[in-house]
Amino acid sequence: MYFDCTTRNFAAIEVAPDAPAVIARERCLTWRELHTEAQAWCRRAGEFGLARDLPIMIRGHKEASFMVALCGALMLGAPFVPLDTLYPAQRVNGIAAALEATLLYDAGTDCFEVLRAGPPRALQERDLAYIMFTSGTTGVPKGVQIGIEGVCALSAWMDADFGLGPTPVFLNQAAFSFDLSMYSVFGALGSGGAIVLLDRTAAAVALEVAALIAQHAVTVWVSTPSFAQQQLLNPGFTAAALPSLRTLLFCGEPLPTPLARQLRQRFPGVPILNTYGPTEATVATTLLALEESHLAGDGGVLPIGRPKRDSLVYCDDGELCIVGAHVMRGYLNRADLNQSRMFLRNGQRGFRTGDLGSVDASGMLYCHGRSDDQIKLNGYRMELLEIDAALGALPGNRPAASVPLRRPNGTVARLVAYVETGTPDAVLPVELAQWKTLLAQRLPAYMIPSELRGCIRLPVSLNYKIDREQLAQAYRNGTAP
Ligand code: AMP
């Protein structure tokens, strides 16, 4: 059995219905059980008025019921909005308001919550698969609307070009609110394979991660490079100890050459796939199966490969641009951004990524980082301007700036912040004593700077933007900015 995204329904239901489909900490579901539970979920959601083109917020963290709800929503044609329990209530409320959503399903309690009375409002965009909220520069997350055609194309691409073999078993580590997790969701659903949901507690212990891989014979590792780096601390993270692993699949941030080399040593002969793409273009758009020649390089950034067969990727004035059916339908209610970031080319949607790129004579693509203030920290995408806005809303409403501290290879190791206090010492006024707790009401924990220091005035660069580089230098030197 498998889930056919084109028909939005389970297919080949008589084929291996007792094979595992979803493996979670609290319970496992066979394909037959997933099918039956998804049908029951549709009935229950229908009683609450959920129907085609109405958004359904799904909150939870790696429960089997989360997968049931995702399937149910796809069957109903109701775009799902995945929200990890990492998100503070204020953020969830803001998202609900932006969607004008009336219904939330909590996978932890298996309960529906009616968010507001009155008739639900259908979304303007029809036939979406999901809406993923990512960090937004204005201080409010922005909703990336992905059409069903985007996920159909993703499944087809994985099937045709990833070499994952029959009934792959995927590791699912990234939170459902990040599109990286959709790799294993649609990879497993589309192939009739299985998905192993790794919760945060297990993910924090490398030995437990390896034990789960062994126990469930995971064949496809899916993560950011940062998460794989942590596993290297476990000497048992090797092909000898984990013989089921057939593919190491990466996306979401640059894959450093030294990490790729170590993985090649630990997993000789196991394909390492470096894929690239923003949430705005359904998980990934380019693919590179690493070869020895790539690893022999000078240790810099690895190429990101070539565009998937039904898409076009090119550099315009040094910026990577993506064209294809898998490009989002637009940001929800953000005509301004849709105007500046999206375009049409030969009748297909295009997206300006904000990534600096290049392409060599053979058509091989490279990504050289961002042209704006979007960063990745521990694999999480965030806009520094959103963090600045939250810092600026702390008591006193002082100007403040978040500052990424980078490693020599350019990746962000840590985030700190400065706030204008008017005094030369770094000490914070009393009213800011609880700054971390206050920020946590608004931002998920992974976006909260590890330190906040006072300064007389935030330095600005020649174009009157906050000079984060100068702040980073001051931090490193221990001097007052
Ligand atoms: P997200 O929307 O969270 O998937 O983040 C997308 C951004 O992550 C891209 O615009 C790039 O800046 C970065 N990114 C994703 N994959 C890669 C990769 N393989 N190499 C370099 N940067 C990447």
Side-chain angles (χ1 to χ4, degrees), residues 134 178-180 225 250-255 274-280 283 286 301-304 351 353-356 367-370 374 376 379-382:
T134 71
F178 300 111
D179 86 325
L180 177 60
F250 295 106
C251 194
E253 59 183 359
L255 176 58
N274 181 25
T275 66
Y276 155 90
T279 302
E280 287 84 343
V283 188
T286 71
V301 289
L302 288 165
I304 54 171
F351 176 64
T353 62
D355 283 320
L356 302 169
C367 175
H368 306 287
R370 300 287 307 172
Q374 180 183 302
K376 281 281 168 106
Y380 293 112
R381 165 175 162 175
M382 58 195 85

Side-chain angles (χ1 to χ4, degrees), residues 389-449:
L391 289 164
L394 288 171
N397 296 109
R398 299 175 165 84
S402 47
V403 182
L405 301 176
R406 295 183 188 272
R407 300 184 183 94
N409 69 1
T411 58
V412 179
R414 200 151 76 85
L415 194 65
V416 296
Y418 279 92
V419 57
E420 279 189 10
T421 52
T423 55
D425 51 27
V427 180
L428 296 176
V430 193
E431 60 187 358
L432 289 180
Q434 299 300 317
W435 67 274
K436 267 196 185 178
T437 317
L438 294 170
L439 277 189
Q441 291 172 3
R442 184 165 164 159
L443 299 177
Y446 60 83
M447 286 176 74
I448 298 179

Side-chain angles (χ1 to χ4, degrees), residues 55 94-103 115-116 119-123 332-333:
I95 291 173
L99 289 161
E100 298 186 52
T102 52
L103 198 60
L115 300 173
R116 61 178 178 83
R121 260 254 305 268
L123 293 158
L332 179 74
N333 304 336

Side-chain angles (χ1 to χ4, degrees), residues 218 220 310 381:
V218 169
V220 189
D310 54 359
R381 165 175 162 175

Side-chain angles (χ1 to χ4, degrees), residues 110-123:
D110 185 29
C111 286
F112 287 89
E113 284 173 30
V114 177
L115 300 173
R116 61 178 178 83
R121 260 254 305 268
L123 293 158

Side-chain angles (χ1 to χ4, degrees), residues 307-342:
K308 60 192 191 126
R309 45 177 89 187
D310 54 359
S311 72
L312 174 71
V313 180
Y314 60 93
C315 284
D316 179 31
D317 207 10
E319 180 179 15
L320 287 170
C321 296
I322 301 176
V323 177
H326 70 304
V327 168
M328 66 168 172
R329 303 274 195 88
Y331 296 110
L332 179 74
N333 304 336
R334 290 300 304 270
D336 54 334
L337 280 181
N338 294 337
Q339 177 77 31
S340 60
R341 304 288 295 275
M342 297 194 68

